[in-house]
Amino acid sequence: MKLFRIGYICEPDVDENSIVMANSLINSAPLVAGFTDSKARRDLAKYVYSVSRALIGHELADALEYPKQSTIGVLPWFRLQGHYNRLMGKLFSGHVRHNNYTNFTGLMDVSEFDEQGISYRLPDHIHSERSSKW
């Protein structure tokens, strides 16, 4: 938790761009997850908002203009779903129960930084045709 607080202090202030980006990401999450039914998309977006609000806190969620909602019990329920899914996976090999938990964690996996896929190295020559593969 202390590391999270330090990271939060280093973050820039919330502005219009961060509000638009955060809300766009959450509202596009159901589309990325492959949901076609509008009610299912709304339900998953609502779930992602509630878990996200519980994780980042009310102050930042309000600044990002998330919908107002209670977060009482959200994280314990989220953890319980995780324990249940892991237990079922151990008891019944290959068992995957698709629910809001698996959809949310799947979205988190997709958005996770991939060290092999992104390189911040710069070319070693000013002309790209003379540069070695980077």
Side-chain angles (χ1 to χ4, degrees):
M1 228 26 190
K2 188 174 184 177
L3 186 60
F4 175 77
R5 279 189 229 113
I6 292 169
Y8 181 69
I9 291 169
C10 296
E11 286 290 318
D13 291 336
V14 173
D15 62 4
E16 286 180 6
N17 292 327
S18 52
I19 292 168
V20 169
M21 181 63 75
N23 287 281
S24 295
L25 287 171
I26 289 176
N27 285 305
S28 66
L31 297 172
V32 172
F35 284 71
T36 55
D37 178 59
S38 60
K39 182 181 179 338
R41 286 198 312 254
R42 280 192 306 273
D43 289 346
L44 181 57
K46 184 178 177 184
Y47 180 78
V48 172
Y49 270 121
S50 69
V51 172
S52 182
R53 179 178 274 278
L55 288 170
I56 66 174
H58 289 293
E59 181 183 343
L60 181 54
D62 289 343
L64 291 170
E65 298 182 14
Y66 283 15
K68 301 265 189 221
Q69 58 191 147
S70 173
T71 58
I72 296 172
V74 169
L75 291 181
W77 176 246
F78 185 74
R79 287 186 197 106
L80 182 64
Q81 287 177 312
H83 291 305
Y84 171 79
N85 284 350
R86 283 188 292 281
L87 177 64
M88 294 307 283
K90 288 178 184 176
L91 293 176
F92 307 102
S93 65
H95 176 272
V96 177
R97 180 173 177 243
H98 290 283
N99 55 28
N100 283 338
Y101 173 82
T102 56
N103 293 330
F104 181 82
T105 55
L107 292 168
M108 295 301 289
D109 289 342
V110 169
S111 67
E112 191 173 288
F113 173 73
D114 177 15
E115 196 170 311
Q116 287 79 29
I118 298 174
S119 171
Y120 293 101
R121 292 179 297 140
L122 295 172
D124 56 7
H125 197 279
I126 191 166
H127 298 288
S128 62
E129 64 272 2
R130 293 184 184 166
S131 179
S132 58
K133 186 170 175 65
W134 52 285

